[in-house]
């Protein structure tokens, strides 16, 4: 890095995502991928999608990966493959991207909510309690939020003991493990997203379904392609949700080769934040036991009523921040208008996250000096 660049990094904005910096790094591979697909003349469901699916499956690792249009579709297709249909109740977390809830609705199911734990993820002990009393729905859609892996041993024994069918939302959790297991390996089927801000992001939309069940992989391939079981044969109502050759090629050639380094960089930043941030008015929520997180987001909680003051202070230091998420799924009009809100517990912890959470910059191309600026700002802020 030359001195001008270093100077910019010590004074310019610290961004939540820095796609301009990312482009400098991936431009060559991405441009080659575009040329390959363009000149090859086959743009939908061809060799690039097949190669990317194989590489993703090896990398995850899971036996089968099926590329689809985006994370929401990946979730809907996964839920439908798992058997969620008309009015099936699906237990999930209120603290997540609204897409998690939308996927349940689009699959025809009814979302059911319980509170999260101190890490901000679906509280499995509460789910176990409900299951013991016979009140848990048959379908469970946990979300590996913030890039933390939920405790997969616990999830597995719970689902086996109670006969629950698990579909995992891995949109934020590529590369995260619990024990030695990757997220997505306990569910009958799992879904991920290649939205640009995710750890493995496309230059546009993309997603994938992951499973170790070959017949489910086949069903997912049919569902993404109009429900075609043979050419012009439609045995059920499918979607048009195909991952484009262009995006598959870019993901395969330009992004996937960087994922390991990028995940390392995120983990380094997370360690620096944990070691360096020391302010009694800020609390870093614990990661779930056994989680080796992928550093997708770095959540921090302020005192009640102090979030805006903290975010304004960060902004005054040129530091961008975000909130994941300011409004619970249960508070969204789209859901209550559908008359479909079923909540099985009070939601005090999810509500505390919704009111006080702030996400600090943790993208993989942050410079050390930028990480230090964020730490200094966190330590110097006082509630107003
Ligand atoms: C991003 C995200 C989704 C949706 O993915 P899209 O590709 O944007 O449709 C679903 N669930 C979670 C937890 C997400 O973070």
């Amino acid at each position: 890095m030359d001195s001008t660049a270093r100077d910019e990094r010590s004074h310019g904005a610290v961004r939540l995502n820095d796609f301009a910096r990312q482009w400098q790094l991936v431009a060559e591979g991405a441009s080659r991928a575009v040329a390959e697909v363009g000149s090859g003349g086959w743009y939908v469901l061809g060799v690039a999608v097949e190669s990317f699916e194989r590489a993703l499956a090896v990398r995850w690792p899971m036996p089968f990966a099926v590329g689809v249009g985006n994370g929401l579709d990946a979730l809907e297709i996964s839920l439908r493959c798992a058997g969620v249909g008309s009015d099936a109740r699906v237990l999930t977390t209120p603290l997540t991207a609204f897409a998690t809830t939308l996927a349940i609705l689009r699959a025809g199911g009814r979302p059911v909510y319980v509170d999260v734990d101190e890490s901000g993820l679906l509280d499995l002990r509460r789910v176990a309690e409900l299951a013991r009393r016979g009140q848990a729905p048959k379908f469970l859609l946990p979300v590996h939020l913030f890039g933390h892996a939920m405790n997969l041993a616990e999830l597995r024994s719970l689902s086996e003991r109670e006969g629950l069918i698990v579909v995992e939302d891995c949109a934020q959790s590529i590369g995260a493990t619990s024990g030695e297991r990757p997220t997505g390996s306990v569910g009958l089927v799992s879904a991920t997203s290649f939205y640009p801000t995710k750890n493995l992001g496309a230059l546009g939309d993309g997603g994938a379904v992951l499973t170790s069940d070959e017949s489910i992989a086949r069903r997912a391939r049919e569902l993404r392609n109009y429900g075609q079981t043979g050419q012009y044969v439609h045995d059920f109502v499918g979607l048009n949700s195909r991952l484009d050759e262009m995006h598959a090629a870019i993901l395969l050639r330009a992004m996937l080769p960087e994922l390991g380094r990028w995940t390392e960089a995120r983990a380094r930043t997370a360690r620096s934040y944990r070691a360096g941030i020391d302010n009694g008015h800020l609390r870093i929520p614990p990661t779930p036991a056994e989680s080796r997180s992928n550093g997708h987001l770095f959540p921090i909680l302020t005192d009640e009523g102090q979030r805006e003051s903290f975010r304004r202070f960060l902004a005054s230091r040129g530091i961008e921040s975000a909130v994941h998420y300011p409004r619970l799924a249960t508070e969204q009009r789209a859901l209550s208008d559908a008359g479909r809100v079923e909540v099985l517990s009070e939601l005090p912890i999810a509500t505390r996250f919704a009111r006080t959470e702030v996400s600090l910059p943790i993208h993989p191309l942050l410079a050390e000096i930028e990480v230090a600026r964020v730490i200094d700002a966190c330590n110097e802020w006082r509630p107003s």
Side-chain angles (χ1 to χ4, degrees), residues 70-72 75 96-97 99-100 143 169 171-172 193 195 198 205-206 325:
N70 55 68
L72 170 59
L75 276 168
T96 176
T100 310
V143 180
D169 182 339
Q172 301 187 359
S193 162
Y195 186 78
K198 311 294 187 190
D205 277 308
Y325 293 87

Side-chain angles (χ1 to χ4, degrees), residues 4 96 122 126 150 199 202 221 238 253 262 265 272 287 293 338 345 372:
T4 358
T96 176
L122 185 68
R126 209 178 277 275
M150 302 185 67
N199 284 27
R221 287 180 209 290
R253 302 249 179 267
W262 285 346
S272 300
T287 52
S293 307
S345 77

Side-chain angles (χ1 to χ4, degrees), residues 168-192:
E168 295 176 62
D169 182 339
C170 300
Q172 301 187 359
S173 71
I174 189 168
T177 55
S178 171
E180 292 302 306
R181 286 198 187 109
T183 65
S185 60
V186 167
L188 179 60
V189 50
S190 301
T192 195

